[in-house]
Amino acid sequence: MADDDVQGFQAGQSGLIVRVPQAEPLVRAWRDRLDPSARAGVPAHVTVLFPFLEASRIDEGVCAAIGEVVGRQPSFEARFDRCGRFPGVLYLAPEPDTGFRCLTEALVERWPENPPFGGQFDDVVPHLTVAQGQNEAVVEKAEADLLTGLPIVAHVSSVDLLVHDGTRWRQRASFPLGSTRLR
């Protein structure tokens, strides 16, 4: 998960993400070097809701509820054609980001006790983190390289539940989105 505690992850933490496998060829080497979540097993992704429930609280009923909430959201396409920055973070920005925002809003409506990123941001901006906590020269080099490989177009059709086992993030379940949104 992006923007979480870069010092380490806690066993039992969970999060909901949208994998972006189309981005892997471009971002993998940079993420492996510059993003702690990649080194902990998280694929290229856009975070939908982190932190989510403690893993011990996730049972069949919770998974059914996630599936119901996610299944009401239509699948969609997102285009990543630019980089963006937060303090200490380099990311790829999806356009439009509405589908990601709708997923987050729907899940937070169902689990309001779990605000995105613990409620530390007023506006949660969907993004695919490439680098965290790096010096400016490294970030500039990564950004220049990334820009040569854009755009990336992703078809978003599922949300994955990841759980940290104390060593790595592991996929626990995947939930399909509904049918494609009409244009």
Side-chain angles (χ1 to χ4, degrees):
M1 304 326 103
D3 308 329
D4 44 345
D5 178 11
V6 297
Q7 300 303 315
F9 303 101
Q10 305 287 320
Q13 283 181 312
S14 73
L16 295 161
I17 67 166
V18 168
R19 290 178 188 257
V20 185
Q22 300 86 347
E24 287 289 356
L26 179 62
V27 304
R28 178 178 289 138
W30 289 112
R31 289 187 70 245
D32 285 349
R33 282 184 42 222
L34 308 176
D35 182 4
S37 70
R39 293 189 298 275
V42 181
H45 70 283
V46 174
T47 300
V48 176
L49 185 56
F50 177 84
F52 188 51
L53 300 173
E54 170 66 29
S56 63
R57 293 182 53 206
I58 302 172
D59 58 15
E60 287 182 23
V62 168
C63 287
I66 296 168
E68 184 178 306
V69 171
V70 170
R72 287 194 303 258
Q73 302 299 313
S75 58
F76 59 94
E77 280 196 352
R79 181 180 170 96
F80 297 81
D81 59 7
R82 69 178 181 84
C83 293
R85 295 198 193 181
F86 302 129
V89 176
L90 172 67
Y91 64 88
L92 299 183
E95 294 294 334
D97 67 4
T98 309
F100 297 107
R101 287 179 184 271
C102 289
L103 282 166
T104 298
E105 289 167 6
L107 288 159
V108 169
E109 183 177 311
R110 173 59 180 82
W111 286 279
E113 69 277 15
N114 295 93
F117 303 107
Q120 58 184 332
F121 306 107
D122 291 333
D123 182 30
V124 177
V125 177
H127 61 282
L128 190 159
T129 299
V130 177
Q132 296 186 60
Q134 304 298 316
N135 71 50
E136 187 62 22
V138 171
V139 170
E140 285 179 8
K141 183 176 181 180
E143 183 173 11
D145 180 64
L146 294 169
L147 289 171
T148 67
L150 297 178
I152 295 166
V153 176
H155 180 73
V156 177
S157 60
S158 64
V159 171
D160 292 346
L161 170 63
L162 299 186
V163 174
H164 199 272
D165 66 8
T167 304
R168 296 186 58 78
W169 288 95
R170 311 257 184 218
Q171 181 178 326
R172 181 154 166 191
S174 187
F175 306 93
L177 275 73
S179 61
T180 303
R181 175 178 292 151
L182 299 175
R183 296 173 196 206

